Amino acid sequence: MNTRAKTDERNGSTDMRYYQLREEGTPRLAVKTTDGLYDLTAAKPQLRTLEDLFTAATIADSSLDRVAERLLDGADVLSPDVLDTERDGDGAVSAPISTGEVWAAGVTYRISEEARKAESSMADMYIDVYDSERPEVFFKATPSRTVGPAERVGIRADSEWDVPEPELGVVLSDGEIVGYTIGNDMSSRSIEGRNPLYLPQAKVYDRCCAIGPCVRSADSVDDPHDLEMWMTISRDGEVLYDDSTNTGKMVRSVEELVNCYTSHNAVPDVSVLLTGTSLVPDDDFTLREGDLIEIGVEDIGTLSNTVVEV
């Protein structure tokens, strides 16, 4: 059985995926369940963003899903077509989180360690990161540097070697895990490879990160350490890269990475932590403007972006 096509309702768990829609520039919050797609903003106009729902759940001392479920009877049923990321105008899907920060973890998969060693002039340091007690956690992006589904991710004009980095994203509200999303931690490998101190320049720049297409609630994900992840890269209609892996290959746990990120750190009310690079194209591959990157994670969806030089 193709695990990419299997049902999103595993072991009886309820599928709760939250989407941020744009309607003539105005945000609307929608939730997709196993029964259909519902407009939560129609049921409660004060709930226009996922951040609004986080606040409502905190005030009600309840979970996201319970708050959303209570609103379903009064919510309009939406056509699945509004989730088509190829559409323009009303109903277009945007990044599910629009406030806070994005952080990322590094060298959490063996393939990531091997790639960092291959590109670096100081390769031995990455062995220490992979095996050490303290993980690598670094700042990745602000909302202004982050794009959503069908938007363009950036490659730096001063970099000669650029790759996407598909990652499982952990969504936090008040430092607590509330959901999961998909992230693309764009990386300028030629810049980082010259010197590890150039990491911020290789990682943080215009359009350096993509998240989406939705946030799946933590309560409806059976095990974040057992999700299939895949990535394809196409150029002019030709697939240049296609591979898959599983989050079970991550050497760190989600809880360990979140604890490192939130400890001794004044984290925003809402944030996303990317959990490490799970798939890496061959060393002779670099992105070009116009390439299409598609990243999928089981039980969440597919994040698609084209590439532009910045």
Side-chain angles (χ1 to χ4, degrees):
M1 180 179 181
N2 184 346
T3 54
R4 296 191 189 187
K6 72 183 180 182
T7 180
D8 291 312
E9 186 179 8
R10 304 185 344 174
N11 301 326
S13 62
T14 302
D15 181 344
M16 298 291 279
R17 307 186 201 197
Y18 297 92
Y19 291 85
Q20 188 69 66
L21 306 180
R22 293 189 305 269
E23 183 179 299
E24 297 181 349
T26 302
R28 300 188 72 85
L29 180 63
V31 61
K32 184 178 183 295
T33 75
T34 51
D35 297 322
L37 181 68
Y38 299 89
D39 185 345
L40 294 181
T41 302
K44 186 68 69 174
Q46 298 91 332
L47 297 180
R48 290 198 167 272
T49 67
L50 191 52
E51 289 89 336
D52 292 338
L53 188 62
F54 293 157
T55 300
T58 298
I59 293 173
D61 194 21
S62 184
S63 70
L64 297 181
D65 294 348
R66 290 194 184 97
V67 172
E69 287 166 355
R70 290 199 291 266
L71 298 173
L72 293 183
D73 287 342
D76 293 342
V77 178
L78 298 173
S79 167
D81 290 344
V82 303
L83 300 183
D84 183 357
T85 55
E86 297 299 321
R87 295 181 65 218
D88 294 322
D90 292 354
V93 181
S94 58
I97 300 295
S98 57
T99 63
E101 299 171 343
V102 179
W103 287 60
V107 201
T108 58
Y109 291 81
R110 178 66 71 181
I111 193 172
S112 177
E113 179 205 20
E114 293 170 352
R116 298 279 282 273
K117 286 164 58 181
E119 75 187 14
S120 178
S121 59
M122 301 175 65
D124 289 347
M125 66 182 297
Y126 294 108
I127 300 175
D128 294 335
V129 173
Y130 185 81
D131 293 329
S132 69
E133 181 178 350
R134 179 188 292 271
E136 178 192 19
V137 175
F138 57 91
F139 173 79
K140 173 61 184 178
T142 57
S144 65
R145 297 179 175 92
T146 303
V147 302
E151 295 185 288
R152 295 180 297 174
V153 290
I155 53 174
R156 293 181 59 126
D158 59 351
S159 174
E160 301 83 37
W161 186 12
D162 304 278
V163 295
E165 298 191 356
E167 309 194 14
L168 176 68
V170 185
V171 181
L172 305 174
S173 176
D174 291 330
E176 299 295 325
I177 300 172
V178 293
Y180 297 93
T181 190
I182 302 170
N184 183 353
D185 171 18
M186 295 289 288
S187 185
S188 301
R189 293 185 66 181
S190 60
I191 294 176
E192 181 184 356
R194 292 187 191 108
N195 192 310
L197 293 179
Y198 295 160
L199 178 68
Q201 298 173 66
K203 293 287 190 178
V204 185
Y205 56 89
D206 291 343
R207 299 178 178 270
C208 66
C209 181
I211 59 171
C214 66
V215 170
R216 178 148 183 170
S217 68
D219 289 343
S220 68
V221 174
D222 290 334
D223 184 1
H225 307 100
D226 185 22
L227 298 173
E228 187 189 14
M229 180 181 293
W230 60 93
M231 179 172 69
T232 62
I233 305 172
S234 304
R235 180 176 298 158
D236 299 326
E238 178 185 358
V239 175
L240 302 181
Y241 178 88
D242 185 3
D243 202 358
S244 63
T245 188
N246 190 284
T247 57
K249 294 182 179 181
M250 184 164 54
V251 72
R252 312 275 184 179
S253 70
V254 166
E255 291 77 10
E256 178 185 3
L257 295 175
V258 169
N259 182 65
C260 182
Y261 163 54
T262 58
S263 295
H264 316 288
N265 187 19
V267 302
D269 293 340
V270 177
S271 59
V272 176
L273 176 63
L274 306 182
T275 55
T277 305
S278 56
L279 295 166
V280 180
D282 292 338
D283 289 351
D284 60 355
F285 175 84
T286 186
L287 288 169
R288 295 180 185 172
E289 193 166 61
D291 286 354
L292 172 64
I293 305 164
E294 297 176 285
I295 300 170
V297 175
E298 177 187 4
D299 291 355
I300 299 176
T302 301
L303 174 64
S304 300
N305 302 95
T306 53
V307 176
V308 65
E309 188 177 273
V310 297

